Amino acid sequence: KAGVTQTPRYLIKTRGQQVTLSCSPISGHRSVSWYQQTPGQGLQFLFEYFSETQRNKGNFPGRFSGRQFSNSRSEMNVSTLELGDSALYLCASSLLGTANTGELFFGEGSRLTVL
Amino acid sequence: KNEVEQSPQNLTAQEGEFITINCSYSVGISALHWLQQHPGGGIVSLFMLSSGKKKHGRLIATINIQEKHSSLHITASHPRDSAVYICAVTVYNTDKLIFGTGTRLQVFP
């Protein structure tokens, strides 16, 4: 079956712009979580959605937001981009969430560069 | 102090060697994950553990809940095992993950 698909894979933006990233989970998976990976901070949890509801949120400013649609596809948005937002953004899907069934399936990531 | 600590940060091995990567955590967890990340970014989940031991091929993962410690072992290492190995924990009663900083493994032929 198809894996987790993230689009776009690469993008370049300038400071002050906004960006929207998309994640299509594995068919049947209802939980989608988002992560930021930078060389300095490593992997950090952004948020997790289940059945269109945000269930968990990490320690990121309100410029980072997301949503999930009825088909479980998810988007995350970063507004007023800063240089420090340059990162690899990863999403992962799981059947019911890591607290329940555990296994995570990751997408290839969207690499964002902010100039 | 990070809530999830991994050691060593870097590891170099000859093909065929037995490798151990350690992970300690300080929060209550419902699960611990071992992940593998190859250059280019893609992450693969190797194991999810809540107790005991699991084995997939040459990979073995163990967890000691009382000691808040887990180990990932690779038997008969191979150059294709070269990657970054990341320990992550699911915080108890949530779906939040906290990640270790990763262990960069290089296996030479």
Side-chain angles (χ1 to χ4, degrees):
Chain A
K1 61 185 176 181
V4 178
T5 304
Q6 288 190 247
T7 57
R9 291 291 313 279
Y10 302 91
L11 66 167
I12 299 173
K13 294 284 188 178
T14 56
R15 277 180 297 176
Q17 287 187 310
Q18 71 153 16
V19 66
T20 299
L21 308 177
S22 178
C23 174
S24 293
I26 290 172
S27 177
H29 284 193
R30 294 167 66 187
S31 168
V32 174
S33 49
W34 288 90
Y35 307 89
Q36 182 196 63
Q37 187 176 35
T38 60
Q41 299 295 320
L43 272 161
Q44 293 183 281
F45 172 82
L46 277 158
F47 27 66
E48 187 252 354
Y49 286 87
F50 181 83
S51 292
E52 302 178 65
T53 300
Q54 186 182 89
R55 288 199 301 195
N56 295 279
K57 191 176 191 306
N59 298 325
F60 279 81
R63 300 185 297 106
F64 292 81
S65 62
R67 58 179 176 168
Q68 187 180 34
F69 302 95
S70 58
N71 62 358
S72 292
R73 188 177 73 85
S74 177
E75 288 180 347
M76 68 162 282
N77 185 77
V78 188
S79 62
T80 320
L81 284 166
E82 300 176 1
L83 295 179
D85 297 332
S86 294
L88 180 67
Y89 291 89
L90 291 152
C91 83
S93 77
S94 66
L95 198 58
L96 295 174
T98 57
N100 293 298
T101 61
E103 188 172 10
L104 289 168
F105 295 85
F106 285 84
E108 292 294 313
S110 293
R111 188 168 295 279
L112 170 66
T113 301
V114 181
L115 302 176
Chain B
K1 189 177 188 301
N2 293 334
E3 292 166 303
V4 180
E5 299 271 0
Q6 274 185 249
S7 63
Q9 283 191 297
N10 295 285
L11 190 50
T12 301
Q14 285 296 124
E15 185 173 355
E17 285 185 4
F18 181 86
I19 287 160
T20 296
I21 301 171
N22 295 299
C23 176
S24 297
Y25 54 91
S26 58
V27 295
I29 70 169
S30 53
L32 183 142
H33 308 258
W34 281 103
L35 310 171
Q36 181 192 56
Q37 186 171 33
H38 281 283
I43 292 179
V44 173
S45 174
L46 298 174
F47 295 101
M48 188 211 64
L49 296 159
S50 52
S51 65
K53 177 179 173 177
K54 286 190 176 180
K55 184 175 188 291
H56 289 158
R58 296 179 296 104
L59 301 179
I60 303 165
T62 63
I63 187 168
N64 185 318
I65 298 294
Q66 284 72 34
E67 294 186 5
K68 295 190 172 182
H69 181 270
S70 176
S71 293
L72 175 68
H73 305 287
I74 304 175
T75 62
S77 59
H78 190 276
R80 66 174 174 267
D81 297 326
S82 298
V84 176
Y85 292 83
I86 302 167
C87 170
V89 300
T90 301
V91 177
Y92 180 74
N93 217 28
T94 77
D95 282 279
K96 285 188 178 184
L97 260 69
I98 303 175
F99 297 86
T101 52
T103 295
R104 186 175 300 277
L105 171 65
Q106 289 184 291
V107 182
F108 293 98

